[in-house]
């Protein structure tokens, strides 16, 4: 597998299947790990970083889940490549800054990715489509067990796994879901829901995680602390709250459908029509309109286009993806034209709602 | 022919053919005539009006051009019928007010219509598609000659044809064209053009004539005076100025096409997409969007939909037309839904620009 092959396949987490996939796009488990007897990344010197990268790569290459994986060195990538990987949710923005012996491993279908020498020596994630934290956890837990037999983790009997930032110490686990909550936004209930989530010890972030805005009515909801509970307890707690969020969103959708389905159909139909016929379109406008179309698919108002095609468009319309597709650098104005062309080609032929 | 049959046919003037039909929708000649020895309409008593109606109807029924005509008495029509006829440009708003022995004759394909007992005893018009004032004049001149042999017109050797309002005295002629000037509006040159027109003794009005606003970038341009020149001179003068207006609009279209065809295509494409996919749409929004689509057809940006279909939609989406199509009274909110349904049914199946 090559980096440039990724764009030709739909990532596993975008398939639009799995439990509650009409509201929960994807589920993600991340583990932070560090090697024993090596300074944390931000204190490490170059030779030490190089050694960490080498031994982690060697260990990962031996693991069952990463047999066919793509191993990348950040130093080999240009800016568009890095942005492309961030857009696909395969690595963090921080990982793209500086390239001192940073590595990235990506498994088949992009289910697992592992950042090496990010804030921690290892940041491993598993992504699944729909509300499926258990499955993501099983996948990552298996990889973690396998890898633990090959490298020595920094672990304290008192604190658990040791990490660069104390909020990750303990389990090193962050569990999160990407929720699509357009009805809660439209009915202006979203702030109430987000406040309740915060009180329960969870955080809601934007489409690209920490520090990003909620575009397209997407909210990434995750646990705040990793310490004091087992992995199962942390996941169960998140699951319980997410089930409530799903119920609220579903109720809001039902109410809109009952009270004014025609106005909702109009909004969704116009969004679909605009996407099918624009010749110039910004990223922000696209994401807003795609959010309406996705809601239309989920509420059976838009037919003949499947959820995975809409999900995939959210990823493909991003700047680095457009440049990868075009095979060259594009200015912002050129991207707005390329984006509209791409969307038309993907949506036309699919009949109208 | 029955009143309700009209809606099933496209009027001759909406065919979208004829000279310069990419800019000039239609050409219209109107003649004002009164019968000798009868008081003008606003001074007439009921029995006198009845007599005028009877003798004009008898005269018209004998004329070649009105052999298969529909003869209506306004007193027999309900409010929706009257509004319907106004929307089709077959009679004036004034003619719908009060119904004291008012009549209306409509020829085959709606080429000719004659209002009886409007401001004048007779207001006859001929409509043609495109920039074709000569053809309209020939048609109406022939009818006028034929009718003059059957009824006696009020005529003065000094003043010409006598009319209720002195601005019509003389020839009784008003020549007008319905011009579609979106590029002059978009490029903000329209006011300069309208001011020049006014200085040359012409008037520009909205889609429904006197006292109406210019919606959808349509301007009805006509002569102001009917006295002091022959019919041919009046028509020639209007033609000369309209040729200049056409040239200005064409130059503005060419410039937009040269400078930013992509942005123009985007605007037109989005208008088409919205019309194809809305479920609720107001009359004003529709006319604005149809104006863009019509420009797209004229500039070969929108393909696979013909000009006559777009022209017809401008007429069909009006309130009384929607109610005629539905076969019952509709509230404003119901009309917005019916309008969207009608537009979708007419535009879908036609491929995207």
């Amino acid at each position: 597998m090559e980096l440039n092959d990724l764009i030709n396949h739909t990532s596993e987490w975008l398939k639009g299947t799995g439990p509650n996939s009409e509201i929960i796009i994807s589920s993600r488990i991340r583990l932070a790990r560090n090697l024993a007897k090596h300074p944390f990344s931000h204190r490490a010197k170059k030779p030490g970083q190089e050694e960490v990268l080498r031994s982690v790569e060697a260990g990962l290459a031996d693991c069952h889940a990463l047999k066919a994986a793509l191993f990348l060195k950040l130093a080999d990538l240009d800016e568009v490549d890095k942005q492309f990987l961030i857009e696909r949710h395969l690595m963090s923005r921080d990982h793209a800054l500086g390239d001192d012996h940073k590595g990235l491993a990506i498994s088949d279908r992009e289910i697992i990715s592992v950042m090496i020498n990010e804030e921690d020596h290892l940041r491993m994630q598993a992504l699944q489509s729909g509300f499926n934290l258990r499955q993501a956890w099983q996948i990552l837990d298996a990889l973690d067990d396998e890898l633990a037999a090959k490298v020595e983790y920094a672990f304290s009997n008192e604190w658990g796994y040791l990490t660069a930032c104390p909020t990750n110490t303990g389990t090193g686990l962050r569990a999160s879901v990407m929720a699509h909550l357009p009805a809660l936004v439209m009915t202006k209930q979203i702030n109430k829901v987000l406040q309740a989530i915060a009180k329960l010890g969870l955080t809601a972030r934007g489409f690209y995680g920490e520090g990003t805005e909620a575009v397209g009515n997407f909210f990434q909801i995750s646990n705040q602390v990793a310490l004091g509970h087992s992995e199962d307890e942390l996941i169960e707690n998140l699951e319980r709250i997410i089930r409530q969020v799903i119920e609220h969103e579903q109720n809001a959708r039902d109410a809109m459908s009952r009270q004014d389905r025609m106005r909702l159909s109009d909004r969704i139909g116009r969004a679909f029509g605009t996407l099918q016929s624009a010749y110039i379109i910004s990223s922000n406008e696209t994401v807003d309109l795609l959010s309406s179309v996705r809601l239309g698919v989920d509420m059976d108002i838009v037919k003949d286009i499947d959820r995975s095609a809409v999900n995939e468009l959210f990823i493909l319309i991003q700047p680095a993806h457009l440049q990868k597709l075009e095979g060259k650098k594009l200015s912002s104005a050129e991207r707005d034209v390329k984006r509209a062309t791409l969307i038309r080609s993907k949506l036309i032929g699919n009949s109208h709602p």
Side-chain angles (χ1 to χ4, degrees), chain A:
Chain A
M1 193 166 65
E2 302 263 326
L3 175 62
N4 287 336
D5 295 336
L6 294 175
I7 205 164
N8 299 317
H9 300 98
T10 305
S11 320
E12 179 71 14
W13 66 277
L14 287 170
K15 280 194 316 180
T17 56
N20 300 107
S21 55
E22 72 288 356
I23 292 171
I24 305 299
I25 309 292
S26 59
S27 299
R28 173 178 177 264
I29 300 286
R30 180 269 276 163
L31 290 175
R33 297 285 184 262
N34 288 279
L35 300 195
K37 298 166 198 159
H38 287 82
F40 288 142
S41 297
H42 61 285
R43 305 265 301 180
K45 302 265 186 309
K46 295 221 175 208
Q49 293 174 340
E50 196 182 345
E51 205 187 313
V52 167
L53 178 61
R54 211 169 31 231
S55 45
V56 170
E57 275 192 348
L60 287 171
D62 254 3
C63 291
H64 182 74
L66 295 173
K67 275 290 180 246
L70 175 66
F71 284 88
L72 300 169
K73 289 197 180 14
L74 274 281
D76 298 338
L77 305 180
D78 65 21
E79 288 311 308
V80 172
D81 286 334
K82 290 178 193 170
Q83 183 60 34
F84 173 77
L85 292 164
I86 295 167
E87 288 173 1
R88 286 185 91 75
H89 294 243
L90 292 169
M91 69 178 209
S92 65
R93 293 186 176 194
D94 279 351
H95 205 45
L97 303 174
D99 49 17
D100 298 350
H101 303 293
K102 291 184 172 189
L104 181 67
I106 302 164
S107 82
D108 183 39
R109 289 175 294 149
E110 301 168 57
I111 293 173
I112 295 173
S113 69
V114 184
M115 292 185 280
I116 305 161
N117 286 326
E118 211 247 21
E119 184 182 297
D120 296 299
H121 294 154
L122 281 137
R123 286 284 182 101
M124 309 187 268
Q125 71 169 16
L127 279 165
Q128 287 288 289
S129 183
F131 187 27
N132 213 343
L133 287 163
R134 292 283 148 184
Q135 183 75 15
W137 168 236
Q138 280 168 25
I139 291 167
L140 206 57
D141 193 24
L143 174 67
D144 187 44
D145 287 349
E146 228 181 328
L147 191 61
K150 298 172 204 299
V151 298
E152 191 191 345
Y153 286 152
F155 184 82
S156 136
N157 283 328
E158 191 182 352
W159 294 106
Y161 294 101
L162 301 177
T163 55
C165 174
T167 58
N168 292 312
T169 299
T171 57
L173 180 138
R174 177 158 285 165
S176 65
V177 298
M178 184 73 80
H180 187 226
L181 307 176
L184 289 175
V185 173
M186 286 181 203
T187 57
K188 301 191 198 313
Q189 299 176 71
I190 190 69
N191 284 337
K192 211 179 57 188
V193 171
L194 295 180
Q195 281 159 19
I197 284 173
K199 279 188 192 152
L200 294 165
L202 303 184
T203 331
R205 300 187 171 97
F207 197 58
Y208 297 106
E210 209 153 347
T212 66
E213 270 184 56
V215 291
N217 307 310
F218 290 107
F219 298 87
Q220 186 179 305
I221 303 170
S222 60
N223 61 316
Q224 283 263 48
V225 286
L227 193 69
H229 298 277
S230 72
E231 290 86 348
D232 281 329
E233 286 168 354
L234 290 169
I235 292 171
E236 255 165 47
N237 181 51
L238 180 62
E239 280 178 337
R240 200 174 51 248
I241 298 166
I242 296 301
R243 272 194 292 272
Q244 290 180 41
V245 172
I246 292 171
E247 198 182 320
H248 280 301
E249 170 68 16
Q250 193 59 59
N251 288 344
R253 291 183 185 189
D254 292 347
M256 286 199 306
S257 183
R258 263 196 323 276
Q259 284 156 23
D260 203 349
R261 191 166 174 96
M262 185 59 81
R263 195 155 294 282
L264 187 64
S265 299
D266 182 60
R267 178 181 176 143
I268 289 167
R270 284 167 180 253
F272 199 31
T274 300
L275 288 171
Q276 287 179 308
S277 45
Y279 283 79
I280 301 172
I281 196 164
S282 73
S283 172
N284 278 346
E285 186 185 1
T286 303
V287 171
D288 279 349
L289 297 175
L290 279 176
S291 171
S292 288
V293 171
R294 162 91 212 212
L295 179 65
V297 170
D298 294 331
M299 293 183 72
D300 214 25
I301 291 169
V302 173
K303 299 179 177 82
D304 303 312
I305 173 163
D306 56 30
R307 205 178 276 156
S308 71
V310 180
N311 284 354
E312 202 188 1
L313 269 178
F314 278 110
I315 301 299
L316 291 177
I317 55 94
Q318 301 173 99
H321 274 73
L322 294 173
Q323 294 176 77
K324 281 276 181 195
L325 287 168
E326 189 69 15
K328 63 173 190 183
K329 284 243 175 201
L330 297 172
S331 69
S332 170
E334 288 167 336
R335 290 198 302 268
D336 287 354
V337 172
K338 172 74 184 169
R339 183 177 295 115
T341 308
L342 172 75
I343 296 168
R344 284 204 315 282
S345 77
K346 295 273 178 188
L347 295 185
I348 292 176
N350 290 296
S351 62
H352 275 272

